Amino acid sequence: MSKAMLIDLNRCIGCRACQAVCKCSNDLPAQATRNTGSYQNPPRLSACTHTIVSFDEREEAGRMTWVFTKRQCMHCEHPACASACTVGALQKTAEGPVVYDAKKCFGCRYCQYACPFQVPGFQWGATLGLIGKCDMCADRQALGLEPACAKTCPTGAISFGDRSSLLQEARRRIATSAGKYVNHIYGENEAGGTSVLYLSPVPFADLGFPTLGKEPISRYAEAVMNLTPVTAISVAALASGLYWIIKRRDEMMQQAVHIAAQEGMAAPPPPSTSIEQDEGQEEVQL
Amino acid sequence: MNLSTSTRPALARVPVFNSTVFILGLLTLFGLVVGGWRLLVGLGPTTALTDAYPWGIWIGFDFALIAFSGTAFTMATLVYVLRREQYREALRPAVLAGLLGYIAVLVLLVLDLGRWDRFWSFMINWNLHSPLFEVSWCIVLYSAVLMIETSPQLFERLGKESPVRLVYRFSVPLVIAGLTLSSLHQSTLGTLYLNMPHRLHALWYTPLLPLFFFISSVMAGLCMAILAYDVACRVTNRERKAHIPAGLARLAAWVTLVYVALKLGDLVVAGQLPMLLAWTAAARIMWLELGLLAIAPMLLFFSPALRARRGWQWAGALMILAGVLLNRFSATLFAQAAPDWTGYAPHWAEWVSTVGVLAATGLVWYLGIRRLSIFDSDAHSKYH
């Protein structure tokens, strides 16, 4: 059974204990920031900040309210970052987390483009930079512990467990508290499903969650990549065949010229010397 | 006909240093210093790259340079597989440019890597689903193929005949191997962007991207061959054979027609024509790419009168090359919907190192043209 986290934005009070414990548990350095006009700090995820709580200000019945959203890697069921990774440093494990092997990574940053959630961060300040992102505390999970953020959350906003039972729990919460939640479990189907699920009182698009279809991000690229051997064999075979046919044609033409000359007949025009007429056919095959 | 014996010895007496060599050498030197600085201190102080724009002009020029270097496989296929012997004279300038282009590509890629000291990681850590994994392998293997294809230029210069004979004996399988590797990685550079449906603008994003990248590399390849042949003739005081650039221009027109027709057809089928007709920033870039830098030079090259003229050959070829360059930059930067917190304006060090790599490529090619046996037809009759 693959593990997942259910994050209930109705229960989050924005205390950021998860953010602090993530730094401690993963031994991540502090990040110099400046005031951006919000309690949200730092402003976004980075190589050394693997989770943040974002503060979205909203107006409700004439009063200002906040929606707090704990953000981190979504641990996709079909992660595009892992599909794209040149050296296979990012992997989806059977247990749920998408893990990162810093020993393989050579810092090409393709994962940053493939991720629809802008999660992987790069160590721009380092002489030899690598990628950093949340790994759902795969090391703690291996010891039978829950992720540090879920363990620390004082309000129970982060539940950790089997993905299927968390989906059931999420449906139960939506059904039993009418009007408290929008009828949408973000991550159930997005980009083929994720191992982090969200419940929200407001539409997810309002909180900056990308609107994604049910198909994995990497479906087209993987389909094309799976064709690689077919493409290679087809091109090589087609080129060899073309070479043979054209060579044979040239030889037969030469023979015809030769025979014609021997028999004292009018020679046919020699092959492929008049440039203007004979290029028209080949360009499509190039 | 201009015999090699009459031009070569005269050339050998010409001193190597002139203003071209000096300027390119100076730019190379700047690039070396700044590139070395970047490798020593990391990407932070030397680039304007951020988590929102992790790839900048290095990658833009890199991917364009791969397309331009497609000139090597395009010309080799034309001469060896399709047996268009009339283009043989334009083969070596193009293949040499291709080899040097690929070496420049590798240098730019290493400059861009966070862990450049581990550039070989893809050789032992495999991910068969990764477009960039396939591209990396193909570039390295194809560079090796190009080195073998180019080696006769050096061996002939050194007066060694037996290795030249050996290479020529295997030239057809070698060229087919090069074509196969090229069709894989040229198209896979397009596949690379298929992993970014959430970032790449819909006018560019299509499952046909691999095909478009491949076809446009042939367009660029033919145009590079026109320019390389022209410059090589001029540098060596050799008389240009008028049918070569004109014939290549005609081929480029047909390939561009296929590209433009497929691109417009794809937009129509996807129902994105209104997006192209709306006067948005993205639509304007696409019009520039397709209208001014593909359709216009295509029409130019379809005209027998215009494509016979040297000035128009240069104009058309440069327009198509600019169009392919813009296309690769669009995919990498201009048509990328980055998160809105920041923009990207290249750091001066990115410019200086890029110009340095391009100048070094031009410099080595220029010296190669002047010092190596650069016209295959001179040696051809001897070995075939």
Side-chain angles (χ1 to χ4, degrees):
Chain A
M1 281 302 254
S2 97
K3 297 290 184 187
M5 293 197 293
L6 172 63
I7 298 174
D8 188 333
L9 305 188
N10 269 331
R11 296 189 181 183
C12 181
I13 54 169
C15 73
R16 297 184 293 193
C18 52
Q19 207 176 309
V21 78
C22 178
K23 288 267 182 189
C24 300
S25 187
N26 292 293
D27 208 8
L28 295 167
Q31 190 178 331
T33 59
R34 60 172 70 118
N35 193 326
T36 53
S38 159
Y39 286 113
Q40 182 178 331
N41 185 45
R44 63 195 72 91
L45 297 173
S46 72
C48 68
T49 302
H50 294 183
T51 190
I52 55 158
V53 175
S54 64
F55 287 50
D56 283 282
E57 294 175 12
R58 296 178 59 83
E59 203 180 284
E60 227 168 72
R63 289 179 60 206
M64 198 279 275
T65 63
W66 267 308
V67 178
F68 308 113
T69 313
K70 179 193 182 290
R71 296 171 195 261
Q72 71 295 300
C73 173
M74 296 292 285
H75 299 281
C76 302
E77 299 283 278
H78 305 277
C81 62
S83 178
C85 180
T86 314
V87 293
L90 290 156
Q91 301 275 351
K92 175 75 176 176
T93 59
E95 294 76 32
V98 175
V99 295
Y100 168 68
D101 185 349
K103 288 193 198 70
K104 291 181 178 174
C105 179
F106 63 2
C108 73
R109 311 187 293 286
Y110 187 15
C111 55
Q112 297 194 286
Y113 280 90
C115 175
F117 304 105
Q118 278 114 34
V119 167
F122 183 76
Q123 298 167 341
W124 296 105
T127 306
L128 295 167
L130 288 168
I131 290 291
K133 77 163 196 70
C134 159
D135 66 351
M136 221 205 270
C137 291
D139 51 346
R140 286 175 56 92
Q141 285 195 43
L143 298 171
L145 302 168
E146 53 188 325
C149 56
K151 175 79 181 165
T152 301
C153 181
T155 63
I158 310 167
S159 317
F160 174 73
D162 289 333
R163 187 171 185 269
S164 49
S165 41
L166 287 179
L167 277 171
Q168 272 182 354
E169 168 63 14
R171 276 187 213 106
R172 191 191 64 76
R173 286 187 205 172
I174 292 176
T176 54
S177 25
K180 252 184 98 181
Y181 298 99
V182 291
N183 188 16
H184 181 183
I185 306 169
Y186 194 93
E188 183 179 13
N189 297 312
E190 272 76 11
T194 61
S195 294
V196 179
L197 306 165
Y198 282 92
L199 284 176
S200 165
V202 299
F204 284 99
D206 293 0
L207 301 172
F209 282 71
T211 307
L212 300 169
K214 291 184 176 185
E215 299 292 337
I217 298 291
S218 54
R219 64 179 161 150
Y220 287 132
E222 285 196 9
V224 177
M225 291 309 294
N226 287 339
L227 283 174
T228 302
V230 181
T231 312
I233 293 169
S234 313
V235 170
L238 193 74
S240 308
L242 264 176
Y243 167 73
W244 187 81
I245 291 169
I246 295 170
K247 191 179 173 192
R248 186 92 186 101
R249 189 195 67 182
D250 286 358
E251 283 167 359
M252 285 168 76
M253 296 278 261
Q254 265 173 359
Q255 237 170 16
V257 173
H258 188 66
I259 291 169
Q262 273 189 337
E263 293 177 357
M265 288 157 61
S272 67
T273 39
S274 68
I275 286 84
E276 279 305 308
Q277 65 187 25
D278 68 343
E279 302 142 356
Q281 315 121 20
E282 270 80 25
E283 66 285 325
V284 184
Q285 298 147 355
L286 269 177
Chain B
M1 189 184 161
N2 213 337
L3 288 175
S4 61
T5 42
S6 63
T7 53
R8 281 282 134 188
L11 255 173
R13 280 197 298 273
V14 177
V16 170
F17 281 96
N18 60 19
S19 55
T20 308
V21 172
F22 181 75
I23 292 169
L24 291 177
L26 206 63
L27 291 173
T28 302
L29 196 69
F30 289 152
L32 268 176
V33 172
V34 172
W37 175 52
R38 169 265 167 272
L39 293 180
L40 290 178
V41 302
L43 291 165
T46 54
T47 70
L49 302 172
T50 59
D51 282 340
Y53 282 99
W55 289 347
I57 57 167
W58 282 332
I59 295 292
F61 277 106
D62 218 35
F63 290 0
L65 209 51
I66 292 176
F68 290 7
S69 304
T71 192
F73 89 85
T74 304
M75 290 306 290
T77 303
L78 199 58
V79 172
Y80 280 102
V81 178
L82 304 178
R83 294 169 61 85
R84 304 283 120 178
E85 283 294 332
Q86 65 267 32
Y87 296 118
R88 183 172 283 277
E89 198 166 297
L91 180 63
R92 283 190 174 185
V95 173
L96 183 62
L99 170 67
L100 298 173
Y102 273 97
I103 293 172
V105 163
L106 287 169
V107 173
L108 280 175
L109 280 178
V110 167
L111 273 182
D112 191 72
L113 286 182
R115 286 299 305 252
W116 56 270
D117 57 319
R118 264 188 215 164
F119 69 92
W120 41 265
S121 181
F122 70 94
M123 294 187 184
I124 50 170
N125 299 308
W126 289 30
N127 178 13
L128 296 177
H129 276 148
S130 170
L132 215 46
F133 169 77
E134 192 205 290
V135 169
S136 306
W137 265 104
C138 281
I139 289 181
V140 167
L141 292 177
Y142 185 49
S143 298
V145 168
L146 282 175
M147 281 181 200
I148 302 173
E149 278 184 27
T150 329
S151 63
Q153 304 183 23
L154 193 65
F155 286 131
E156 278 167 25
R157 176 72 186 160
L158 298 173
K160 298 199 188 309
E161 283 190 10
S162 52
V164 181
R165 275 182 219 282
L166 190 70
V167 173
Y168 270 114
R169 222 162 96 202
F170 294 104
S171 50
V172 172
L174 205 60
V175 165
I176 292 177
L179 169 65
T180 307
L181 287 169
S182 293
S183 54
L184 287 184
H185 75 266
Q186 294 285 3
S187 63
T188 303
L189 277 174
T191 314
L192 186 141
Y193 292 96
L194 292 183
N195 271 328
M196 312 176 191
H198 47 281
R199 275 190 75 127
L200 190 59
H201 193 282
L203 278 176
W204 282 266
Y205 189 89
T206 156
L208 290 185
L209 267 173
L211 187 63
F212 290 151
F213 267 59
F214 176 70
I215 299 176
S216 53
S217 79
V218 177
M219 278 155 60
L222 290 166
C223 292
M224 278 294 285
I226 293 173
L227 302 186
Y229 177 63
D230 190 285
V231 176
C233 285
R234 181 184 269 201
V235 169
T236 55
N237 291 321
R238 190 186 181 94
E239 201 181 324
R240 258 168 27 119
K241 292 197 173 126
H243 71 259
I244 291 180
L248 291 174
R250 187 184 132 104
L251 284 175
W254 279 102
V255 180
T256 308
L257 178 65
V258 172
Y259 178 80
V260 169
L262 278 173
K263 180 66 199 170
L264 288 176
D266 186 46
L267 287 176
V268 170
V269 171
Q272 283 161 348
L273 215 52
M275 207 185 272
L276 184 65
L277 297 176
W279 198 240
T280 58
R284 283 198 291 271
I285 296 175
M286 186 49 94
W287 275 113
L288 191 61
E289 253 186 63
L290 267 189
L292 192 64
L293 299 174
I295 296 175
M298 174 189 84
L299 294 175
L300 199 161
F301 278 168
F302 267 130
S303 153
L306 291 180
R307 70 166 177 254
R309 303 259 297 273
R310 191 154 174 263
W312 288 113
Q313 288 163 4
W314 271 85
L318 286 177
M319 281 163 89
I320 289 179
L321 288 173
V324 175
L325 178 75
L326 177 60
N327 177 259
R328 302 308 193 253
F329 263 88
S330 300
T332 311
L333 286 169
F334 307 147
Q336 288 272 346
D340 54 6
W341 66 71
T342 175
Y344 165 73
H347 192 278
W348 62 264
E350 289 177 76
W351 280 116
V352 174
S353 50
T354 304
V355 169
V357 170
L358 296 177
T361 314
L363 176 63
V364 178
W365 184 79
Y366 177 70
L367 292 176
I369 292 299
R370 290 179 56 191
R371 281 291 182 265
L372 296 176
S373 164
I374 203 67
F375 293 105
D376 198 358
S377 47
D378 297 346
H380 182 49
S381 50
K382 202 165 152 189
Y383 298 105
H384 285 259

